[in-house]
Each structure stands twice: as C-alpha cells, then as structure tokens.
Amino acid sequence: ICERYTFKLKLPSNIKYNIANGQQCLLLNFKLQFEYLNDGDCIEHKVEENNNEECFQPALLNAKDNTDFFGLFQSFRYFHDYKSKICEEFILKDELEEAAIIKIKQLKQQLNVDKLVSVHLRRGDFTNGMIPELMNYYGENNKLDFKSPFGKYFSQVKEQLDSAYGKHYAFLFFTGGSPNNDNATDIQWVRENFKDFNPLISSNLNCLHDFCLMKHCDDNIITHGTTFSWWASYLNPNQAKKVFAPENFYFNRNLNRADFYPPEFIQIAK
C-alpha cells in the first residue's frame, strides 16, 4: 500500500522488543526501509483483518494514509505486484546472504549433486503438547510414520523430485518451532528418523542463518502451519526453483486459504 500510494511505512519504536508466541520480531535484521512512529504521528484509521472471510480482502488495498494495520494478511495478492521491491528489502544484513550462497555451493560440491532441496520441519510446538491435536502430525509415539499427515505429503514430493532429478539431488533439513529456541532435541529427532535419507541437517541453532540457507537452496519444501519456510521460498531468487507446499496448509482447520500460495508454488493435495 505504501508503494501504491507513496505513503511512508512506519513501525512502532519498540518493535524489536515485540514477542509473539515466545519468539522475537526479526524485522530489524532485514534491509527494510521504514521510519519509526513518533509522538507527533496521528493514527486516524485502523484496518483489522477479518479472519472469517477469504484470505484476500481487496477492499483493504484502498486504505487511506495514517492507517494502522492489524492482522496476518496471509495472501500473496496483497503484495505480489511489488515482489521485486520486497525481495530487494527483505535481504538480511551482516553478510548472511553471501555466506549462505557460499555454503550451499560448498555442500553441493561436497555431495556431488546438482540440486539441494530444503525441507522445513516445524516441530517444537507441534510435538511438545502445546497443540494437542497436532501431536501425531509426524506419527505416533514421536516416530516418523509415512502414513502421517507429514509423511504422506513428504512421500508425494519425493516422488516428484525423484522423477525430475533422479539421484542428482540431496535434502537439507531444517527444524525448529520451539518457543525457547532450543532446537537441539528436534535436530536429533531428524537425524534419527530420516537416517535412511543420509540427512544433511542445518545445525546452526540460529533462525536467521537457517532462513538464509533455506532461501538459497535450489528448491524448497514448505511444511504445514508455518510461514517461516513460506517466506524463505517466496524470497528465493532462483528463477528455476520448485517450491512444494501442502494444499491444506492448515490441515487441522477448515479455513479458506485459496490465495495463500502464489501460482508458481506446486501444491500437493491432501
């Protein structure tokens, strides 16, 4: 909206202290162009997303200046026309991008593969009992089951990758979702449950490094219920990338999210 109407983007001055679900806001780690709100700014309007409606609500694009936005706005149609600008500003600082590009190249040479495919696994709050209905998302008794929601999804993606690349690709696994950012247990779970795949696992224990590595893989596999890998995949600069995503992103809810994925994402049916 700021680009469309040449408004200024302003964020709360305390944004770096904002905590959501135990996790800190990371916007300040990107080269995002914005100003901070100050006491002289007057908020005249407020726009709040109605989550009971469809994912994309076009009327929101007609917002006026001095408007406060509140919501998730989880549709590519809100910003897809300005993707080049978004990709330009959502670049991480501190040379993380350059380091990730070099690391991906080294891993491909080390493994002697043409393609490196990121696999994002949201464990943490999916498996620690915080969301009881998701406890068996990967399988019962904390064991990977290829008949589970994730197992069936992953198997379908792997079939497509095998058909496209044969044996000339490898998976790079990422995991997390712990509210206290202690992902060591989840990394060990991946190592044990994907041992038949000779798993290559990102053990950075740093979400920004993981985000950047994921962004620079050749292809991406998004998991259910997390926008972390959605954004890494969307910002992936590889023009020939394949991005696989579960059609039923919120597989345990009956929500209309028809505009959640951009058209180039390959949706895997339930």
Side-chain angles (χ1 to χ4, degrees):
I1 292 174
C2 292
E3 287 294 315
R4 186 178 186 179
Y5 297 114
T6 64
F7 295 158
K8 288 183 179 180
L9 172 64
K10 293 199 172 186
L11 300 178
S13 58
N14 65 343
I15 189 169
K16 67 179 179 180
Y17 303 110
N18 284 5
I19 304 293
N21 298 320
Q23 297 177 326
Q24 188 175 10
C25 177
L26 299 173
L27 278 177
L28 300 187
N29 293 281
F30 295 88
K31 298 180 180 180
L32 182 65
Q33 300 298 308
F34 69 93
E35 297 179 11
Y36 285 113
L37 284 168
N38 57 57
D39 294 338
D41 291 317
C42 178
I43 302 299
E44 300 175 354
H45 314 280
K46 183 173 182 177
V47 170
E48 187 167 355
E49 182 185 30
N50 184 350
N51 286 324
N52 293 322
E53 296 183 6
E54 292 187 0
C55 192
F56 177 62
Q57 299 164 44
L60 299 186
L61 294 177
N62 298 321
K64 300 177 180 180
D65 199 3
N66 299 314
T67 295
D68 182 22
F69 288 87
F70 182 82
L72 299 177
F73 308 102
Q74 292 181 326
S75 169
F76 75 94
R77 293 177 64 186
Y78 284 123
F79 47 79
H80 199 55
D81 289 344
Y82 303 95
K83 182 177 181 179
S84 60
K85 180 67 173 177
I86 289 171
C87 289
E88 176 185 319
E89 296 199 9
F90 278 89
I91 293 177
L92 283 160
K93 300 176 181 178
D94 301 327
E95 300 180 349
L96 290 178
E97 300 277 345
E98 293 83 355
I101 292 170
I102 292 171
K103 184 63 175 179
I104 294 297
K105 183 177 180 179
Q106 290 173 340
L107 289 173
K108 289 166 69 173
Q109 291 175 343
Q110 172 188 327
L111 298 169
N112 192 27
V113 295
D114 298 327
K115 303 286 184 178
L116 201 57
V117 182
S118 72
V119 183
H120 182 219
L121 308 175
R122 178 175 177 173
R123 288 191 49 81
D125 55 359
F126 266 34
T127 57
N128 64 7
M130 290 181 65
I131 312 176
E133 64 268 29
L134 301 181
M135 282 291 290
N136 295 325
Y137 169 66
Y138 293 99
E140 296 181 0
N141 301 316
N142 205 32
K143 297 291 184 181
L144 178 64
D145 183 348
F146 286 98
K147 294 182 180 179
S148 67
F150 177 81
K152 289 188 287 187
Y153 165 60
F154 180 76
S155 295
Q156 290 183 67
V157 174
K158 187 176 182 304
E159 286 181 7
Q160 293 198 33
L161 290 171
D162 287 345
S163 177
Y165 303 140
K167 296 182 179 180
H168 302 290
Y169 76 96
F171 292 120
L172 177 56
F173 288 88
F174 299 83
T175 186
S178 173
N180 61 7
N181 291 317
D182 179 11
N183 299 318
T185 300
D186 294 326
I187 289 173
Q188 183 59 31
W189 182 91
V190 175
R191 186 171 288 113
E192 293 173 356
N193 284 269
F194 286 89
K195 59 185 178 183
D196 292 341
F197 297 89
N198 297 314
L200 187 64
I201 306 168
S202 174
S203 300
N204 279 315
L205 301 179
N206 181 299
C207 59
L208 290 174
H209 286 83
D210 278 356
F211 186 89
C212 212
L213 284 170
M214 197 181 299
K215 173 183 171 182
H216 289 288
C217 282
D218 295 285
D219 299 331
N220 309 99
I221 301 176
I222 296 174
T223 194
H224 295 80
T226 173
T227 54
F228 186 87
S229 49
W230 190 106
W231 273 105
S233 302
Y234 186 78
L235 296 172
N236 185 336
N238 178 16
Q239 296 298 311
K241 67 186 177 186
K242 290 183 174 66
V243 178
F244 298 92
E247 181 181 65
N248 56 326
F249 183 79
Y250 295 105
F251 72 95
N252 63 322
R253 306 180 198 171
N254 184 26
L255 292 178
N256 186 334
R257 285 295 182 258
D259 299 310
F260 186 81
Y261 297 117
E264 64 267 25
F265 282 23
I266 302 169
Q267 297 185 45
I268 304 299
K270 184 175 180 180

